[in-house]
Amino acid sequence: MRCTLGVDIGTSSTKGVLAAEDGSILATATRAHDVDRPRTGWVEMDGRVWWDEFVAISRELLTSVPDAEVAGVGVSGMGPCILLADENDEPVRPAILYGVDTRSTAQIARLTTELGEDEITRVGGSSLTSQAGGAKIVWVAEEDPDAWARAKRLFMPASWLVRRLTGAYVLDHQSASQVSPFYDVEGERWHAPWWDAYADRIEAPPLTWAGDIAGAVMAEASALTGIPEGTPVITGTIDAWTEAVSAGAHGIGDLMLMYGTTMFLVATVAETLRTPSMWTTAGAFAGTRNLAGGMSTSGALTAWLKDLTDADYPQLLAEAADSGVGARGLLLLPYFAGERTPIQDPDARGVIAGLTLRHGRGDLYRAALEATALGVRHNVETMREAGADIRRIVAVGGGTQGRLWLQIVSDATGLVQEVPATTIGASYGAAFLAATAVAPAGAAPRIEDWNPVVDRIEPDPARRAAYDELFDRYLRLYAGTAEVVHELAESQRDAAHRDEAHRDGDR
């Protein structure tokens, strides 16, 4: 049976899928993993795990479908991640993850001063934030000189898998555009003056597009994975963009809203839009541009509450539904891991306002769902202010399985959300890109056929006024608590440093 294989390296798991030529799912596989948080603000992962899990998932998928004829392989992964490797492709240190890792604050400040914020925005499209991959490369150079002395190549999860599978050293344009400030978004190329000034030890990876074929599976990789030697492998890209592909949300005017461990938004726009509050990037396809945003917690916050209350999700959802709009007078800021867009504040922290002894876990869970919805609204309104013409919202990711969360987001934003039939995410989008890459001329599949829309979530106009009022309070709560919260964030860092020093002293 002819099919394509797609694998995505996510924050909390690696997922794989075998998709038939018509888009039907033949098999899925998952491997859960954890990220490492060795210090406050640091979020890392051993990049070697990515390949190990790819091998295990490929074996499982192909064993479960013995007659599978893999015509192509698609890859994607969280990002932008910075995995530096030596000349033998051995990682020199753990990979530094995307914007949830906030270690490069000093490097961001220095680069902004040295290069100028206006010039950084002109070249790369965006101001430097915790999402900026280039600043994290500079952090390694300054803070981990032993690793830097051995570093020769730059990888992200998708390009790491491509290297292991095919031997090709490439990176897609979309991922490269988030290695800020080293990518020229209008020229669609590395910005050589800044790369040479700050990352000269690293061989700049050649650039291609997400759906282009990067190479073919080598004999050694075939023996490990079970994928036939010579099978084409696409370049791939960052998971949020691949997820947008999986739902057909990559046309001008589309907004992809990804419900996952974090919340991600990708708007496809007709021209390069620049705003300091969001991320301007190249798109997954040649000539396209995106305005993107990301919240540092969404599913991570609901999982935290689940673990804290020792309740299961059905219980919490039922109790949250009973709590009603406004969570009986609770308001929560979801900044439990700092926040990315649109406030770009790594020192933001979670706030729960209005608590009384009468509140229960259902109220807290409702407040958490509403907080993420208000965060989505904050991002959407910021995108529109920057000039994005958002005409269509497509919801994807694991969180779409809960109707209550979807309804709260639509009610809080006033936006209709379309939900496609298949919401397993980026691995499915990667399989689709692979199917497109290997299709005969004129016979490429259409995502509308693979993954049609099956549900629409309409906002309830009766709840609009209540959420307008809640959104106003949400904005004022952040402004009113920011000074104290920043002081607490500094205290947390000091405490973490004392703990680390104490542990070092015990060794």
Side-chain angles (χ1 to χ4, degrees), residues 192-256:
W194 292 351
W195 183 284
D196 294 343
Y198 295 99
D200 60 320
R201 288 197 59 82
I202 309 299
E203 177 189 348
L207 298 174
T208 183
W209 295 95
D212 292 345
I213 294 174
V217 174
M218 299 182 296
E220 181 179 355
S222 175
L224 291 170
T225 64
I227 302 168
E229 183 180 355
T231 303
V233 181
I234 63 164
T235 301
T237 187
I238 291 174
D239 54 5
W241 278 259
T242 317
E243 192 132 20
V245 169
S246 79
H250 52 79
I252 302 299
D254 287 347
L255 174 71
M256 187 277 298

Side-chain angles (χ1 to χ4, degrees), residues 129-321:
T129 69
S130 65
Q131 191 81 350
K136 294 175 182 181
I137 293 174
V138 176
W139 182 93
V140 176
E142 295 180 350
E143 301 294 336
D144 196 347
D146 290 342
W148 183 246
R150 293 179 287 124
K152 295 296 182 184
R153 299 189 182 102
L154 166 66
F155 296 98
M156 294 194 193
S159 64
W160 180 249
L161 297 182
V162 167
R163 181 69 165 178
R164 286 287 182 265
L165 285 165
T166 71
Y169 179 52
V170 296
L171 189 67
D172 69 286
H173 283 273
Q174 203 295 309
S175 298
S177 70
Q178 298 201 52
V179 187
S180 307
F182 301 153
Y183 180 86
D184 178 350
V185 71
E186 293 293 355
E188 297 180 343
R189 59 180 179 262
W190 294 115
H191 187 60
W194 292 351
W195 183 284
D196 294 343
Y198 295 99
D200 60 320
R201 288 197 59 82
I202 309 299
E203 177 189 348
L207 298 174
T208 183
W209 295 95
D212 292 345
I213 294 174
V217 174
M218 299 182 296
E220 181 179 355
S222 175
L224 291 170
T225 64
I227 302 168
E229 183 180 355
T231 303
V233 181
I234 63 164
T235 301
T237 187
I238 291 174
D239 54 5
W241 278 259
T242 317
E243 192 132 20
V245 169
S246 79
H250 52 79
I252 302 299
D254 287 347
L255 174 71
M256 187 277 298
L257 181 57
M258 184 175 75
Y259 293 75
T261 305
T262 65
M263 189 77 82
F264 214 89
L265 307 90
V266 179
T268 302
V269 295
E271 58 184 354
T272 304
L273 300 177
R274 292 173 168 83
T275 172
S277 300
M278 309 301 292
W279 304 316
T280 300
T281 74
F285 304 107
T288 61
R289 296 289 181 272
N290 295 123
L291 196 61
M295 298 168 59
S296 294
T297 63
S298 56
L301 178 55
T302 58
W304 175 77
L305 277 169
K306 172 184 173 293
D307 293 342
L308 192 68
T309 60
D310 197 28
D312 59 30
Y313 286 121
Q315 286 176 303
L316 289 169
L317 286 167
E319 293 171 12

